[in-house]
Amino acid sequence: MSKKLLIRDLTLRDGQQSLFATRMRQEQIDRVLPFYKDANFYAMEVWGGAVPDSVMRYLNENPWTRLQTIKKAVGDVSKLTALSRGRNLFGYTPYTNEIIDGFCKNAISSGLGIMRIFDALNDINNVKSTIKYVKEHGGIADCAVCYTIDPEYRRAARYKALLKGKPLPKPVFTDDYFVNKAKELEKLGADMITIKDMSGLIPPVRVAKLVSAFKKAVKVPVDFHTHCTPGYGLAAVLSAIVAGVDVVDTNIWNFAGGPAAPAIELIYLFTQKLGVEMDVNMEAVAKINKELYTIRQELADVDAGKHYPNPFNPLTDKLPAEIEAEFDKAIKDAKEGNEQDLVRSCHAIEAYFNFPKPNELVKNAQIPGGMYTNMVAQLKALKSEDILEDAMKLIPQVRLDAGLPPLVTPTSQIVGAQAVNCAMDIKKGSEMYTNVSNQFISLVKGEYGDTPIPIKPEFREKICGHKDERPFDTSKYKMQPNPVLEDCGGVKLAENEEEVLLLELFPMVAKNFLKGVKKAAWEAKKASEPKAEATTAKTEAPQAAKKVSGKKITVPMPGRIIQYLVQPGDKVEKDQPVAVLEAMKMENSITSNYAGYVNTLIAEEGETVAADAAIMDIVDEAVAPAAAAPTKEAKKAAPKATGPTKAVTVPMPGKILDIQVTPGDVVTKGQVVIILEAMKMENSITTDFAGTVNEIFVEVGDTVAADAKVLDLVQG
């Protein structure tokens, strides 16, 4: 076998995202870039995915600067690549062509060479505009077909009961389905096609068949992307190479395996035995890997695996005879299609090097590893772990009802959260889909695009109130506000096109980040200006330091203050949530240990604080300042209607995002009164009866328990 295999290195994007929650700082990346310049990878995935959001949210760094810095260091040796979700780019909203055009233009001018474009529904219409603009601005359009499988209906006992003897649905995700998608993408101008196995669920024999079919069906290069979570990763990549794939995605040793892609060092050993040329400088790779070991130690507090592979350099270290034999067996079995033996040999190889074992839970659930762990973490936060098994069983039904979307961001989160909602409905004795998230409504309505199978009109009517499909109307899209910051020298929040794009794609995160940038620039400018005359200075009172005189409220873990739920002067009760702390990608409610009045907010929203840091103090009611800010009770005071009242409650625990009524408003049955965030989804809370709003018991930002009373109405 004489062939050249190209390598796309994922270490600085998907690798660190899979293992370390995308927490690599710019200075850590800078340390490995000189070696990357010598490594000669075909491509380096360094941007897109969670990188732009995370570097602003957690690291206070500019995403554009990251891309530009890497390009400056690596030059044209390797093509820099990024991942985007078609017309959704990095978010949940379909954007206008103007925004997609501006994004592609700025990304390519900042150094991007390849844009990997995918759509969560495999809806070709959703990637057309990105392909067009990437190519117009001189980039390479890498179009991904998202690999997925039909649900295991037989495993879902509840769904089987609902079938009532009817035949199981016909398979949808056949080889022909994927091949036809590849053909359509090539016709649209795709410069390469990626088989994107985001869940690591593709078995070796299946990927060999798909690679062979793709190579016959399209003329452009074919790439294969997978993960090792369920245990197929290494065997699947080997089978793809044997089948003639042009490019494979890998990570470097210390950032490989487990939730990430296979290690390039193992792929190198296979190519040496196969006689396949892999034009990568493995000496430079070894230097990168040495530095990555140090960086991984620095990222220990966010390390998802905490599972270091044994040190190994394929250029200098000799394999024991029994492991050498496993490599030979794996190649033989890959060529002959002996899947079970191939997987066993690859597991033996990974076990010898101490890579993580296959995750059997994820494999049996047949959903992405990230989707599963996300569900577990969020159910723990909601104190509802007992419904996990029921929610898992409901995923096949929810997915089928919603048109069988592939389980990849964002559809994996939408389907997973809705399965949890349905499990909660059943637990309470309610009908399934009593509570639905706004994102699930948008999916069923048609705003995300065409689903692999049509959604039944009756189901759409049940969820959305109408039978007809209603695509997202980008003509109604409203740009994010871009205010002038008077306290930062009168500059705009977003001063150039790059910053405007950040504000559009990440409204809340970019707002906080850009405001911090402008504030720092303004303070630096003031510090550099000549100081005022001494006589003038005497007339200016120095800024008073924050005085802490009450009982301190501290945070139990390091994190970032996302939001304060109270303000100075507010009355608080013992155990009342007073702030939201973001730690390890989870939102944590910080409660007060005391009753009293808020005296001082010590930390600012957006500030990163250490474990046990004080964020506010509480003073006794008797010594609360007379000029205290209005309490919650005062803020809610309004003329009340008279008559018997009836409460409106929330069906699940979550956070109040929006209150859409005020005391005195007349509401009708079925009207939305509250927007509740639960499981990262927005849920519209409606009233089951008509009346006049009497009193509102919550505020935006409050965290509430299931069945909490949020307001009451005077009926009639």
Side-chain angles (χ1 to χ4, degrees), residues 65-236:
T65 301
R66 172 157 298 191
L67 180 58
Q68 293 157 3
T69 302
I70 297 173
K71 177 64 177 178
K72 185 177 180 181
V74 177
D76 296 326
V77 172
S78 300
K79 294 176 175 62
L80 302 187
T81 80
L83 181 70
S84 79
R85 303 175 194 153
R87 66 173 183 159
N88 290 346
L89 295 177
F90 299 130
Y92 283 61
T93 303
Y95 291 98
T96 63
N97 284 344
E98 289 75 19
I99 292 176
I100 296 171
D101 183 16
F103 169 77
C104 293
K105 179 184 70 175
N106 281 272
I108 291 167
S109 66
S110 293
L112 194 73
I114 302 173
M115 182 75 79
R116 175 174 282 170
I117 310 156
F118 78 96
D119 177 65
L121 298 179
N122 279 331
D123 182 354
I124 302 300
N125 289 324
N126 282 343
V127 299
K128 284 181 178 177
S129 54
T130 311
I131 294 172
K132 173 187 173 184
Y133 294 123
V134 165
K135 293 175 73 72
E136 279 186 4
H137 295 294
I140 294 172
D142 170 16
C143 298
V145 179
C146 292
Y147 177 80
T148 189
I149 56 178
D150 292 276
E152 284 286 335
Y153 301 110
R154 293 176 179 83
R155 294 189 183 187
R158 180 175 174 81
Y159 187 79
K160 190 175 180 181
L162 289 171
L163 284 173
K164 296 178 180 177
K166 295 178 183 178
L168 293 173
K170 291 182 179 179
V172 174
F173 301 109
T174 62
D175 291 354
D176 286 343
Y177 168 89
F178 295 115
V179 169
N180 289 334
K181 292 293 180 184
K183 288 179 178 178
E184 290 181 74
L185 290 168
E186 186 181 41
K187 286 179 183 177
L188 285 176
D191 298 302
M192 58 191 302
I193 304 287
T194 291
I195 300 172
K196 179 176 168 60
D197 176 27
M198 55 279 172
S199 308
L201 291 176
I202 190 166
V205 169
R206 184 80 191 274
V207 74
K209 287 178 64 180
L210 281 180
V211 168
S212 297
F214 274 39
K215 292 294 293 178
K216 291 176 183 176
V218 299
K219 294 182 175 64
V220 297
V222 176
D223 188 327
F224 177 51
H225 172 97
T226 191
H227 293 253
C228 295
T229 320
Y232 289 138
L234 182 60

Side-chain angles (χ1 to χ4, degrees), residues 204-436:
V205 169
R206 184 80 191 274
V207 74
K209 287 178 64 180
L210 281 180
V211 168
S212 297
F214 274 39
K215 292 294 293 178
K216 291 176 183 176
V218 299
K219 294 182 175 64
V220 297
V222 176
D223 188 327
F224 177 51
H225 172 97
T226 191
H227 293 253
C228 295
T229 320
Y232 289 138
L234 182 60
V237 171
L238 174 58
S239 291
I241 296 169
V242 170
V245 77
D246 300 289
V247 189
V248 294
D249 294 4
T250 64
N251 285 316
I252 294 175
W253 194 259
N254 279 306
F255 275 38
I264 184 176
E265 291 85 352
L266 297 181
I267 303 305
Y268 171 76
L269 291 176
F270 278 125
T271 58
Q272 290 291 294
K273 289 177 174 290
L274 285 165
V276 173
E277 180 186 357
M278 196 181 80
D279 193 16
V280 174
N281 180 350
M282 295 303 292
E283 291 181 354
V285 169
K287 293 176 182 177
I288 297 170
N289 188 51
K290 183 179 178 181
E291 191 61 46
L292 290 178
Y293 180 81
T294 302
I295 292 170
R296 182 163 186 174
Q297 290 177 311
E298 295 167 357
L299 297 172
D301 59 335
V302 291
D303 191 335
K306 301 187 185 300
H307 199 104
Y308 288 70
N310 297 331
F312 178 69
N313 183 339
L315 298 180
T316 58
D317 298 338
K318 185 175 176 59
L319 294 173
E322 65 272 18
I323 299 302
E324 191 87 50
E326 294 291 359
F327 276 91
D328 295 332
K329 289 177 187 176
I331 290 172
K332 178 177 179 292
D333 290 326
K335 289 179 177 179
E336 295 176 357
N338 299 328
E339 185 168 272
Q340 189 173 352
D341 290 339
L342 166 60
V343 172
R344 189 204 60 77
S345 287
C346 287
H347 286 176
I349 292 167
E350 291 172 315
Y352 170 76
F353 289 113
N354 197 39
F355 282 105
K357 294 178 180 179
N359 187 320
E360 293 297 328
L361 283 172
V362 171
K363 182 179 179 181
N364 293 334
Q366 295 188 307
I367 62 174
M371 176 182 177
Y372 178 80
T373 54
N374 200 30
M375 286 177 67
V376 172
Q378 292 178 66
L379 283 170
K380 283 183 178 178
L382 298 175
K383 294 181 173 61
S384 301
E385 301 98 312
D386 59 311
I387 67 166
L388 176 63
E389 185 177 348
D390 292 334
M392 295 289 287
K393 290 178 181 178
L394 289 171
I395 287 173
Q397 181 180 350
V398 172
R399 191 177 168 212
L400 184 64
D401 289 340
L404 216 57
L407 295 179
V408 61
T409 304
T411 51
S412 57
Q413 178 62 28
I414 295 171
V415 169
Q418 189 54 52
V420 168
N421 283 352
C422 289
M424 287 183 171
D425 291 338
I426 293 169
K427 184 179 180 181
K428 293 180 179 181
S430 302
E431 184 183 357
M432 276 184 65
Y433 300 111
T434 297
N435 297 289
V436 291

Side-chain angles (χ1 to χ4, degrees), residues 530-590:
K531 293 184 179 180
E533 295 293 328
T535 53
T536 306
K538 289 179 182 177
T539 63
E540 297 176 353
Q543 185 176 0
K546 291 181 179 178
K547 185 178 179 182
V548 181
S549 57
K551 299 171 182 175
K552 296 178 183 178
I553 304 297
T554 61
V555 295
M557 65 194 83
R560 186 171 66 90
I561 302 294
I562 296 178
Q563 184 181 24
Y564 279 114
L565 307 179
V566 294
Q567 293 297 318
D570 283 354
K571 183 180 179 181
V572 298
E573 303 296 335
K574 188 175 184 295
D575 297 325
Q576 177 181 329
V578 293
V580 180
L581 178 80
E582 184 178 56
M584 290 290 291
K585 279 192 170 182
M586 293 288 109
E587 294 183 1
N588 303 270
S589 293
I590 305 302

